Amino acid sequence: KKVVVFISGGGSNMVALAKAAAAPDFPAEIIAVISDKANAGGLDKARALGIAAFSFVRKDFASKEAHEAAITAELDRLQPDIICLAGYMRLLSAAFIQRYEGRILNIHPSLLPLFPGLHTHQRSIDAGMRIAGCTVHFVTEGMDDGPIIAQAAVPIVPGDTAETLAARVLTVEHRTYPMALRLVAEGKVRMEAGRAVGDVTGE
Ligand code: GRF
């Protein structure tokens, strides 16, 4: 299966996916990385891994639609089977999601449905949570609310800051995302009638 990864920043999840996909028995190949930021650190990391990397900077386009049309044109050329959003900080239009529905994955740094949106680690600490974690889900038109494919939890320990918790969650993100992508690429998990069906899993 051909995969395109969307990033906006450092791309550590993209690197984890690329390294997992390099294994000979992995059922997917990362064929390209797309960023909405020209200076995303993940672009150089992708190129260093021999993966084509493209940036589509929003301000270079007259509208959100034109920006997305440029990305869609590139996808029409690449013909990916699966799109993985990994630290991609831009909402995709309903039209885009409908076109790829059931084939777009995202990783979110909380145990959804708790803490959708931003600043998940500080919000978890402020809420007095004792666990945190990450969720890989199919992307639907809502934000951070598609059918869940895989989750992993980590403890929140006394003295944790958003930064120390983020670092702990990232370690399980980098294991959970490749595992979820493998399940989808192998067809063991798919989206059906708005639900994830098959070997959905948790760590
Ligand atoms: C990660 O916490 C991810 O869950 C969120 O963005 C953060 C940075 O991701 N979506 P990355 O290092 O750019 O992959």
Side-chain angles (χ1 to χ4, degrees):
K1 291 280 192 270
K2 297 190 294 180
V3 178
V4 173
V5 182
F6 282 39
I7 65 168
S8 294
S12 72
N13 275 288
M14 175 278 295
V15 171
L17 290 172
K19 289 188 170 167
D25 69 334
F26 199 82
E29 176 196 1
I30 312 300
I31 61 168
V33 170
I34 284 178
S35 175
D36 62 331
K37 298 272 189 293
N39 60 350
L43 290 168
D44 286 342
K45 292 176 190 167
R47 292 171 187 135
L49 291 166
I51 301 169
F54 310 94
S55 63
F56 294 88
V57 180
R58 171 66 184 78
K59 69 177 186 318
D60 292 349
F61 297 88
S63 66
K64 175 183 171 59
E65 290 71 22
H67 178 244
E68 203 171 84
I71 292 172
T72 303
E74 184 62 38
L75 291 176
D76 288 348
R77 191 179 64 79
L78 292 162
Q79 290 291 309
D81 301 297
I82 298 168
I83 294 171
C84 286
L85 309 183
Y88 190 64
M89 304 310 277
R90 192 175 294 277
L91 287 179
L92 297 164
S93 69
F96 185 104
I97 288 166
Q98 280 154 22
R99 181 193 179 105
Y100 286 98
E101 185 137 64
R103 300 191 289 142
I104 316 178
L105 280 56
N106 181 48
I107 189 161
H108 180 74
S110 79
L111 294 170
L112 291 173
L114 289 176
F115 309 111
L118 300 174
H119 313 303
T120 61
H121 304 307
Q122 191 56 56
R123 289 158 62 198
S124 301
I125 291 167
D126 294 348
M129 294 290 292
R130 290 284 173 266
I131 61 168
C134 68
T135 302
V136 180
H137 63 93
F138 286 109
V139 172
T140 53
E141 291 175 40
M143 181 186 70
D144 300 334
D145 78 348
I148 292 170
I149 300 165
Q151 295 187 303
V154 297
I156 295 179
V157 301
D160 257 337
T161 63
E163 290 70 30
T164 59
L165 181 54
R168 191 174 311 120
V169 172
L170 266 181
T171 64
V172 295
E173 291 182 38
H174 296 163
R175 286 205 303 269
T176 306
Y177 213 167
M179 189 256 292
L181 174 57
R182 176 190 282 275
L183 289 170
V184 173
E186 285 172 339
K188 289 186 176 171
V189 171
R190 65 192 181 287
M191 189 167 138
E192 210 168 76
R195 303 183 67 77
V197 296
D199 301 357
V200 291
T201 179
E203 192 177 40

